[in-house]
């Protein structure tokens, strides 16, 4: 049993926002797969736990004119099954489908994954390359931030104590687009990612208009976008030399910590080249980089 | 603060007064006295505490007891109170039980899997086993037990 705390389960968003604005030490409970672990370890000692699972408007995926809107309470298994997250957006549902294990995915939510912001968090790299935004609500109104601005480091985001993450917005892409998500882990069974990467390319068949977005996890404290490399690869024919140059740029910009339990900096640096080549091949078809 | 909760446990309506800091696993074992559900890691990693809540397998060590309010919960004791299930029989035939600590978790995962697909592929079986740890059998006999049921 944990140290004592109070529990509330608001039925509406309004009620929930009021509760968290009035209680400094309230902790939101979504799927609980991070929160309960942190309560057990003593890392979090809540006075009040606010369970948001009875707020039904937080858990669906819908398409509006400009966005695919994902409620923060949507579980990984719901994301995996969603017919709206196919085609160009498939990389996100693929990432959701391989995190944890089936039973964890039944509970783990996308909102919890973002707020927990672990360096290898499954959904963060796909969300970065899809240019996703987060919607934060409080009794004083709404803020919308890009996922890149929102996540600041391991377990750190821009969320304020009185705010709830309500939705994730994924811009609808009208051009031809495709993406991939890749991860490496220590064992084949359940394990957190040692290093991961997402790549998203629009207008892939038109080299002049091609746009490339890349994001790596666990190589810097927050998802790392090699912007110079994106620009380098975007409108140029991809060759061995270009890849080598890209890897050089990335290695000069990243600084993987030596204390990681899962992979050494050398291994992560090695994986960068592999992910880059394999990811580009998957999206663009055969490219000649030998 | 104790909260009154009501839920269906293995087919029977139950009422409990629980403290918010009690987990569903503790409630099942210590208040409902159903000790088939095991406490292994307490952190979601081993699968020994797996139960079925509203038709889906979940880890009861990561759920608060209060969250069970209004739910329908099935534990290992409730899956087939009179007879062994096909999967339980297959576990015995294949020697998939040694100390038995992990077995209820595997059986619950299997029940959920076979409810969804009667003939799961090898990959689907492995996927459903992947979040469960066994320190004794080496997994092979457990996989074989699942295969045996999948073939039928
Ligand atoms: C066995 C196991 C395996 C795992 N494997 C993986 C893995 O492979 N990949 C991976 O990325 N993660 C993994 N995780 C971590 C975890 O499952 C995910 O991060 C999950 O998405 C968290 O979601 P949740 O709904 O359970 O969050 P919770 O635990 O409910 O919440 C997490 C944090 O976010 C806050 N929060 C939640 N929702 C909101 C909201 N809407 N607004 C504001 N704050 C909010 C909570 O207060 C808490 O601080 C694993 C965890 C376990 C136990
Ligand atoms: S005791 Fe719940 S997963 Fe190990
Ligand atoms: S039989 Fe002993 S842990 Fe699986």
């Amino acid at each position: 049993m944990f140290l004592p705390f109070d529990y509330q389960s608001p039925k509406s968003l309004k009620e929930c926002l009021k509760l968290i604005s009035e209680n400094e030490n309230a902790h939101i409970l979504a799927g609980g797969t991070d929160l309960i672990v942190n309560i057990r370890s003593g890392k979090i000692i809540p006075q009040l736990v606010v369970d948001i699972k009875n707020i039904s408007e937080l858990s669906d995926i819908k398409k509006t004119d400009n966005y695919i809107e994902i409620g923060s309470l949507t579980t990984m298994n719901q994301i995996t099954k969603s017919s709206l997250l196919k085609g160009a957006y498939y990389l996100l549902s693929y990432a959701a489908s391989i995190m944890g294990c089936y039973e964890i995915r039944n509970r783990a939510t996308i909102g919890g994954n973002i707020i927990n912001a672990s360096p290898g968090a499954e959904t963060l790299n796909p969300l970065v390359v899809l240019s996703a935004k987060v919607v934060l609500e409080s009794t004083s109104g709404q803020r919308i931030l890009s996922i890149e601005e929102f996540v600041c480091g391991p377990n750190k985001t821009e969320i304020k104590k009185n705010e709830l993450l309500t939705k994730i917005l994924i811009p609808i892409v009208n051009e031809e687009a495709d993406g991939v998500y890749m991860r490496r882990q220590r064992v084949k069974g359940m394990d957190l990612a040692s290093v991961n990467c997402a790549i998203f390319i629009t207008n892939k068949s038109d080299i002049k208009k091609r746009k490339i977005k890349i994001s790596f996890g666990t190589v810097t404290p927050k998802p790392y976008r090699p912007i110079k490399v994106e620009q380098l690869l975007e409108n140029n024919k991809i060759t061995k030399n270009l890849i080598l140059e890209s890897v050089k740029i990335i290695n000069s910009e990243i600084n993987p910590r030596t204390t990681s339990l899962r992979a050494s900096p050398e291994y992560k640096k090695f994986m960068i080249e592999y992910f880059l080549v394999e990811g580009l091949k998957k999206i663009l078809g055969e490219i000649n980089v030998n | 603060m104790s909260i009154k909760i009501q839920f269906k446990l293995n087919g029977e309506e139950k009422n409990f007064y629980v403290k918010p800091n009690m987990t569903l696993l503790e409630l099942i074992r210590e208040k409902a006295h159903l000790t088939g559900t095991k406490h292994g890691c307490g952190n979601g990693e081993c699968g020994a505490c797996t139960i079925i809540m509203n038709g889906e397998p979940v880890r009861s060590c990561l759920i608060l007891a209060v969250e069970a309010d209004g739910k329908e919960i099935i534990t290992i004791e409730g899956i087939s109170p009179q007879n062994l299930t096909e999967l339980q029989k297959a576990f015995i035939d294949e020697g998939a039980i040694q100390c038995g600590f992990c077995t209820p978790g595997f059986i619950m995962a299997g029940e959920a899997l076979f409810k969804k697909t009667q003939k799961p592929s090898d990959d689907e079986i492995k996927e459903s086993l992947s979040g469960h740890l066994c320190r004794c059998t080496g997994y092979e006999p457990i996989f074989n037990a699942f295969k045996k049921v999948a073939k039928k």
Side-chain angles (χ1 to χ4, degrees), chain A residues 42-54:
Chain A
K43 199 170 151 192
I44 290 179
I45 302 174
Q47 269 158 20
L48 172 66
V49 166
V50 179
D51 185 354
I52 56 174
K53 284 190 291 296
N54 286 319

Side-chain angles (χ1 to χ4, degrees), chain A residues 2-142:
Chain A
F2 315 129
L3 287 172
F5 51 77
D6 287 339
Y7 171 89
Q8 295 282 345
S9 179
K11 302 273 178 304
S12 71
L13 184 58
K14 206 172 151 201
E15 198 187 324
C16 176
L17 297 180
K18 187 159 175 281
L19 264 174
I20 57 174
S21 74
E22 289 166 355
N23 292 279
E24 257 291 291
N25 199 6
H27 285 266
I28 302 289
L29 171 65
T33 60
D34 283 315
L35 184 72
I36 305 286
V37 173
N38 286 330
I39 294 178
R40 194 183 306 275
S41 71
K43 199 170 151 192
I44 290 179
I45 302 174
Q47 269 158 20
L48 172 66
V49 166
V50 179
D51 185 354
I52 56 174
K53 284 190 291 296
N54 286 319
I55 310 174
S56 55
E57 65 205 83
L58 295 180
S59 56
D60 67 337
I61 307 182
K62 59 175 188 250
K63 200 171 171 184
T64 62
D65 288 348
N66 300 317
Y67 296 107
I68 294 173
E69 295 191 5
I70 306 177
S72 61
L73 202 52
T74 311
T75 65
M76 298 295 171
N77 276 344
Q78 281 174 285
I79 290 178
T80 304
K81 284 186 212 136
S82 169
S83 57
L84 291 175
L85 295 169
K86 298 288 170 220
Y89 317 102
Y90 174 70
L91 75 164
L92 179 61
S93 78
Y94 173 68
S97 78
I98 59 169
M99 68 83 72
C101 67
Y102 187 79
E103 288 123 53
I104 294 288
R105 295 193 291 271
N106 264 335
R107 303 287 290 177
T109 66
I110 186 166
N113 198 240
I114 296 172
I115 302 284
N116 190 56
S118 82
E122 228 66 56
T123 62
L124 291 183
N125 293 308
L127 290 173
V128 165
V129 297
L130 288 168
S131 312
K133 298 174 196 172
V134 292
V135 180
L136 305 165
E137 294 193 45
S138 71
T139 43
S140 32
Q142 196 189 63

Side-chain angles (χ1 to χ4, degrees), chain A residues 1-8 29-34 36-38 40-41 48-49 51 53-54 77 81 97 99-107 188-190, chain B residues 1 3 19-23 26 39 41-47 50-51 53 56-59 61-64 66-67 71 105 109 112 116 127-128 130-132:
Chain A
M1 185 143 353
F2 315 129
L3 287 172
F5 51 77
D6 287 339
Y7 171 89
Q8 295 282 345
L29 171 65
T33 60
D34 283 315
I36 305 286
V37 173
N38 286 330
R40 194 183 306 275
S41 71
L48 172 66
V49 166
D51 185 354
K53 284 190 291 296
N54 286 319
N77 276 344
K81 284 186 212 136
S97 78
M99 68 83 72
C101 67
Y102 187 79
E103 288 123 53
I104 294 288
R105 295 193 291 271
N106 264 335
R107 303 287 290 177
K188 246 191 158 178
M190 180 167 68
Chain B
M1 166 166 102
I3 298 174
K19 293 232 158 58
N21 60 347
M22 175 177 247
T23 64
E26 287 165 331
H39 182 159
C41 64
N43 271 330
E45 282 166 28
C46 74
T50 302
I51 55 154
M53 188 158 92
E56 286 287 348
V58 292
R59 312 228 135 159
C61 68
L62 295 183
I63 299 176
L64 298 177
V66 283
E67 296 179 60
K71 302 283 190 318
K116 232 170 289 154
E127 177 52 40
S128 113
S130 79
H132 291 258

